[in-house]
Amino acid sequence: MSARIAARIARSAASRSVARSVVQKRALSALARPSVIRTAVPTLARGVKTINFGGVEEVVHERSDWPLEKLHDYFKNDTLAMIGYGSQGYGQGLNLRDNGMPVILGVRKDGVSWKAAIEDGWVPGETLFPVEEAINRGTIIMNLLSDAAQSETWPTIKPLITKGKTLYFAHGFSPVFNDLTKVETPKDVDVILVAPKGSGRTVRSLFKEGRGINSSYAVWQDITGKAEEKAIALAVAVGSGYVYQTTFEREVYSDLYGERGCLMGGIHGMFLAQYEVLRERGHTPSEAFNETVEEATQSLYPLVGTYGMDYMYDACSTTAKRGALDWYPRFKDALKPVFNDLYNAVRDGSETKRSLEFNSQKDYREKFEEELKVVREMEIWRVGKEVRKLRPENN
């Protein structure tokens, strides 16, 4: 099925289903919220909404619950010390700054991140400091160093996180797997988590577009009785559109599992398998790529992302629909054992051990580059580079 035919089918299906699509579109705001059923909540829970997610009710907090004036007042006596300026540090740090939050940045002086921060407008001695000085100045310590770096620097950082401060993570990795990371959190501070469901670059780009990424939040340790409220407020302050509750354990298990599965590893493996079979059966590179990646990412996946899998099915031909309905159970049955193996490896710490051991090596960047070079040189992705040049917007 070509992208052109799929598009024509989609238009036809949409015209026959105007009423249904209007309802779906209204349920999906600019923040890409799921289709929801809202139920009444106690008036004392200001702005909090109970939402029915597939029959399970969950409490969700939205950006409108924490307008900027409320955030400014809530954090008026705090200093948010962002430690690290990688992907998440960049996105969350700049969003906090643009939201007028009292944020400073702590990175290694004169290192790559220090220079990048200066280029982005962080001012040495005012909003940019060496790590230890930033922690000493901060009341809320936002540890956004890489997982391996958190483990390596913890003996230096931990003594600086004194009573009265709050420790913030964007990933449950270090505390949950503390037997491997050695990140034992202090016993006398609030420990919270805000985990945006996307890269730091996406956190930033959606914020600049006036939208917002969805994030989860969790409390590891509540000393003040205000840890949950603090986490929700920070989630909105860093640019989240809506926020849902999790635990440190659930966050890290689902995150590591998802990255290795449908989000990256699994989808890449499936793309390769389909492409290679097409090439081995005599199809040209452009045809194999278009039927494997281009149509998926440019025509069908956007429909799933915007309206759902059921809508995407409805938007396709009866032949495509019949085949997909027949074959998805076979793919599920074949893949579910692999996903169970993957989840077990995440849960028992095998994946954590692998990541820490590899990412702690001095030459880990060079080794990553060698593996990524193999990916870049695969025929499928070299073909993709040429196919993308043919898109109308690139001509």
Side-chain angles (χ1 to χ4, degrees):
M1 181 177 64
S2 71
R4 179 169 53 82
I5 293 174
R8 188 173 68 245
I9 293 169
R11 287 194 297 271
S12 176
S15 66
R16 293 193 303 269
S17 309
V18 172
R20 179 185 60 199
S21 65
V22 167
V23 170
Q24 289 171 314
K25 288 177 182 178
R26 286 175 179 170
L28 289 155
S29 72
L31 300 179
R33 292 192 292 268
S35 182
V36 301
I37 300 172
R38 301 189 183 279
T39 59
V41 297
T43 55
L44 56 86
R46 193 193 78 77
V48 177
K49 298 173 179 62
T50 300
I51 298 181
N52 188 310
F53 289 95
V56 177
E57 290 193 346
E58 299 182 42
V59 171
V60 168
H61 305 266
E62 297 180 293
R63 182 166 53 194
S64 57
D65 304 335
W66 284 86
L68 279 180
E69 304 77 38
K70 182 178 174 68
L71 287 174
H72 291 163
D73 183 67
Y74 191 80
F75 293 113
K76 65 184 177 184
N77 297 319
D78 284 301
T79 297
L80 314 182
M82 178 72 64
I83 309 304
Y85 202 58
S87 175
Q88 286 295 332
Y90 162 85
Q92 294 189 37
L94 290 178
N95 290 358
L96 285 169
R97 192 176 73 183
D98 286 357
N99 270 336
M101 297 297 108
V103 59
I104 62 175
L105 181 63
V107 295
R108 183 169 58 85
K109 188 173 183 180
D110 297 327
V112 174
S113 293
W114 182 275
K115 295 173 183 176
I118 292 174
E119 290 178 1
D120 290 337
W122 300 90
V123 181
E126 294 182 15
T127 56
L128 176 62
F129 301 92
V131 171
E132 293 185 21
E133 184 175 353
I135 295 175
N136 285 330
R137 287 172 173 267
T139 58
I140 298 176
I141 313 306
M142 308 177 75
N143 192 344
L144 297 190
L145 295 169
S146 69
D147 295 324
Q150 286 185 19
S151 180
E152 292 167 4
T153 60
W154 192 242
T156 301
I157 288 178
K158 182 178 179 179
L160 304 176
I161 303 174
T162 53
K163 186 176 182 179
K165 294 182 186 289
T166 296
L167 179 57
Y168 167 111
F169 292 97
H171 191 19
F173 189 98
S174 292
V176 171
F177 295 111
N178 57 58
D179 57 329
L180 295 170
T181 65
K182 308 306 178 187
V183 177
E184 292 284 352
T185 59
K187 301 298 184 183
D188 54 358
V189 301
D190 288 347
V191 182
I192 60 178
L193 171 147
V194 173
K197 299 297 105 179
S199 73
R201 300 288 162 173
T202 308
V203 171
R204 180 61 176 163
S205 63
L206 291 180
F207 175 85
K208 291 172 69 176
E209 292 172 14
R211 300 163 64 191
I213 198 163
N214 62 309
S215 301
S216 60
Y217 77 91
V219 174
W220 180 260
Q221 187 168 274
D222 186 2
I223 299 300
T224 65
K226 298 181 179 179
E228 181 176 15
E229 180 181 65
K230 208 179 308 179
I232 296 166
L234 282 167
V236 175
V238 300
S240 305
Y242 74 90
V243 190
Y244 61 92
Q245 187 178 39
T246 186
T247 66
F248 271 64
E249 291 86 356
R250 291 199 338 246
E251 188 283 327
V252 70
Y253 296 156
S254 61
D255 188 76
L256 295 181
Y257 174 75
E259 290 167 347
R260 287 151 178 76
C262 288
L263 300 179
M264 294 177 67
I267 197 69
H268 188 196
M270 192 166 71
F271 279 159
L272 289 176
Q274 177 165 310
Y275 180 88
E276 288 175 5
V277 167
L278 285 170
R279 292 288 288 122
E280 290 161 5
R281 298 300 182 101
H283 295 266
T284 64
S286 63
E287 183 171 57
F289 185 85
N290 274 295
E291 292 296 336
T292 299
V293 179
E294 191 74 352
E295 184 170 353
T297 59
Q298 300 304 298
S299 176
L300 300 182
Y301 290 176
L303 292 180
V304 178
T306 304
Y307 303 118
M309 183 67 74
D310 55 338
Y311 183 95
M312 188 271 282
Y313 271 46
D314 284 342
C316 292
S317 69
T318 55
T319 301
K321 205 178 306 184
R322 179 69 271 145
L325 290 170
D326 288 343
W327 278 88
Y328 87 76
R330 293 186 62 179
F331 279 107
K332 189 202 78 170
D333 291 344
L335 290 171
K336 192 169 180 180
V338 178
F339 277 95
N340 266 312
D341 289 345
L342 168 57
Y343 193 89
N344 290 336
V346 168
R347 185 69 182 263
D348 69 18
S350 300
E351 289 299 308
T352 297
K353 187 172 184 291
R354 161 74 170 153
S355 295
L356 286 174
E357 289 177 348
F358 184 90
N359 297 337
S360 296
Q361 297 174 29
K362 291 183 178 179
D363 60 346
Y364 81 96
R365 294 182 189 277
E366 290 77 9
K367 290 181 177 179
F368 263 136
E369 183 54 35
E370 289 175 7
E371 292 186 77
L372 290 171
K373 184 179 180 182
V374 173
V375 174
R376 293 189 191 101
E377 293 181 353
M378 288 177 177
E379 182 186 90
I380 184 174
W381 304 121
R382 288 188 286 111
V383 172
K385 185 176 181 180
E386 298 306 312
V387 169
R388 287 191 295 275
K389 291 178 183 177
L390 300 175
R391 292 177 187 166
E393 66 268 24
N394 294 328
N395 288 308

